[in-house]
Amino acid sequence: MATKKIAVLPGDGIGPEIIAEAVKVLDCLRDAYGFQAEMETAPVGGAGYDAYGKPLPDETLKIAQASDAVLLGAVGGPKYDTLDRPLRPEQGLLGLRKALELFANLRPALLYPQLVSASTLKPEVVSGLDLMIVRELTGGIYFGQPRGVRTLPDGEKEGFNTLVYRESEIRRIGIVAFETARKRSKRVCSVDKANVLECTELWRQVMIEVARDYPDVQLSHMYVDNAAMQLVRAPKQFDVMVTENMFGDILSDCAAMLTGSIGMLPSASLNEAQKGMYEPIHGSAPDIAGRGIANPLATILSVAMMLRYSLGAPELAERIEQAVSRTLDDGLRTGDIFVEGCKKVGTAQMGDAVVGHLRAMAK
Ligand code: IPM
Ligand code: MG
């Protein structure tokens, strides 16, 4: 296999700590499985601002553009919250998504059986949970124009954002959702607010059109408020959920907690050419940064998604997922997924344990 290029962007907060564990996994794939990857590290988010005065330095974008895949930690931190909006860490992430046209965000919520008791929901509600949120990532209210805060003639300020989607943007994310469902349980639930918002009424119409090409996949529709409720009431009814950018942001945090911890969930953001950026869905967790206690599994599982979707090595993806599962079988837990009777470990110990299983499986 030709050497793959991976841009490694640790970012802020716990980003560098969890990325270090993911890099150990990639090193192990090279040593034990002969998987060749060339990694180049660059700053993004607050780290980009500190180094170059902007959250997405030109050099970082260039490295990301020249790579086969991007592995990202997390961005943001209280130290940057008072900067002007274009300089804030989040703009680094949003800028990368837009520049690389990563319109399709896949956020799987999979409950490892070993973690059933770590969820705040009853075991019977969540055990066996396996759903996929397909979030539109480069459009909608996150990017719509006009936007801003203006002062009205009477002197009062008014803030405004625009929810806007073209048919073609809805169609392409719809196709991703239906293709994804085809490889799973063949059910798509499109989440909208068609009872109030015209833009999502169009969303619903286009989803119905896309569904005509997928007679083997069942399409249903749900309003977003109901979807949030159903996610905590009976989450196992869902297979694939497809939704607008901001709805997907909110619902994916909600879905993450069903699995015990947001520290477990990886994600993939893909463009038309399957080039992707891979990141845990949790944030930079400034409250625990630098203490070596963050859960690295979401980032390690993001490496698995990267191998599956962008680097053409699905068998290695499976190995990583197995190694994570075996590590959980051993009873190792970071604080976020800890329950009585297990062994509490830190970030590096967790990463080392996964690498240990990966090595053992290669023999
Ligand atoms: C996410 C995050 C980002 C988003 C932030 C950090 C800009 O919450 O990836 O879900 O809102 O998309
Ligand atoms: Mg979010």
Side-chain angles (χ1 to χ4, degrees):
M1 201 186 294
T3 301
K4 301 287 186 184
K5 269 197 187 159
I6 304 172
V8 179
L9 316 181
D12 311 319
I14 59 170
E17 299 162 58
I18 52 178
I19 285 287
E21 302 312 307
V23 169
K24 278 186 198 167
V25 166
L26 284 162
D27 286 341
C28 172
L29 292 182
R30 181 194 57 223
D31 299 342
Y33 294 83
F35 178 79
Q36 297 299 335
E38 199 180 287
M39 291 181 250
E40 197 164 354
T41 303
V44 73
Y49 176 78
D50 288 339
Y52 296 102
K54 46 183 173 171
L56 180 53
D58 301 344
E59 185 59 20
T60 301
L61 179 58
K62 240 187 255 159
I63 291 171
Q65 276 164 335
S67 65
D68 296 298
V70 180
L71 181 64
L72 187 130
V75 298
K79 157 175 173 205
Y80 309 104
D81 283 350
T82 49
L83 291 173
D84 282 348
R85 184 163 296 275
L87 297 177
R88 288 197 209 150
E90 291 74 13
Q91 297 305 316
L93 183 57
L94 298 172
L96 275 168
R97 288 174 180 170
K98 197 69 177 173
L100 303 176
E101 292 181 80
L102 307 172
F103 70 93
N105 186 207
L106 308 184
R107 300 193 157 189
L110 180 84
L111 178 66
Y112 281 81
Q114 301 92 325
L115 298 184
V116 168
S117 57
S119 174
T120 49
L121 274 81
K122 293 192 192 111
E124 62 269 28
V125 174
V126 290
S127 85
L129 179 84
D130 177 4
L131 67 87
M132 177 74 90
I133 294 183
V134 177
R135 169 187 175 194
E136 201 293 324
L137 203 60
T138 50
I141 198 162
Y142 267 48
F143 292 95
Q145 294 289 347
R147 62 190 298 155
V149 177
R150 62 190 159 212
T151 305
L152 299 170
D154 66 4
E156 196 182 355
K157 279 189 185 156
E158 179 180 70
F160 54 101
N161 288 87
T162 305
L163 174 58
V164 55
Y165 272 111
R166 284 171 177 253
E167 282 182 287
S168 55
E169 291 177 285
I170 304 171
R171 190 165 296 114
R172 66 181 183 176
I173 194 70
I175 291 171
V176 171
F178 278 89
E179 290 290 336
T180 304
R182 251 193 189 156
K183 298 185 204 117
R184 298 171 44 99
S185 300
K186 301 193 167 53
R187 284 178 293 121
V188 169
C189 177
S190 170
V191 177
D192 61 38
K193 190 73 188 174
N195 51 342
V196 178
L197 305 172
E198 290 82 351
C199 178
T200 73
E201 205 178 335
L202 178 67
W203 177 283
R204 188 177 283 220
Q205 276 164 24
V206 175
M207 286 297 157
I208 291 169
E209 283 166 31
V210 174
R212 293 199 187 110
D213 292 332
Y214 296 86
D216 53 321
V217 178
Q218 186 198 344
L219 171 67
S220 61
H221 306 275
M222 204 178 268
Y223 297 140
V224 63
D225 49 349
N226 186 24
M229 180 176 76
Q230 295 299 332
L231 267 178
V232 286
R233 193 189 72 89
K236 283 186 275 182
Q237 68 185 284
F238 298 111
D239 177 25
V240 172
M241 301 176 93
V242 61
T243 192
E244 186 272 328
N245 202 343
M246 184 165 75
F247 295 165
D249 178 46
I250 298 166
L251 293 180
S252 61
D253 267 29
C254 177
M257 269 325 281
L258 305 173
T259 70
S261 167
I262 198 166
M264 290 299 298
L265 291 209
S267 77
S269 307
L270 304 171
N271 69 12
E272 296 278 11
Q274 291 286 114
K275 176 173 171 158
M277 181 156 82
Y278 298 82
E279 51 175 318
I281 87 153
H282 60 71
S284 56
D287 52 323
I288 60 164
R291 292 168 54 195
I293 60 170
N295 185 348
L297 294 180
T299 315
I300 291 174
L301 291 167
S302 298
V303 172
M305 288 190 93
M306 176 167 82
L307 290 159
R308 180 173 291 125
Y309 292 103
S310 289
L311 303 181
E315 63 302 335
L316 292 180
E318 261 161 51
R319 292 295 175 102
I320 294 177
E321 286 157 358
Q322 255 169 31
V324 167
S325 187
R326 288 183 189 185
T327 304
L328 295 173
D329 283 340
D330 295 340
L332 267 53
R333 303 282 188 275
T334 40
D336 58 314
I337 49 175
F338 179 76
V339 286
E340 225 38 69
C342 289
K343 182 165 182 253
K344 199 182 266 188
V345 296
T347 312
Q349 266 173 299
M350 190 67 126
D352 290 340
V354 174
V355 167
H357 279 297
L358 260 182
R359 266 191 220 292
M361 279 190 273
K363 292 201 182 111

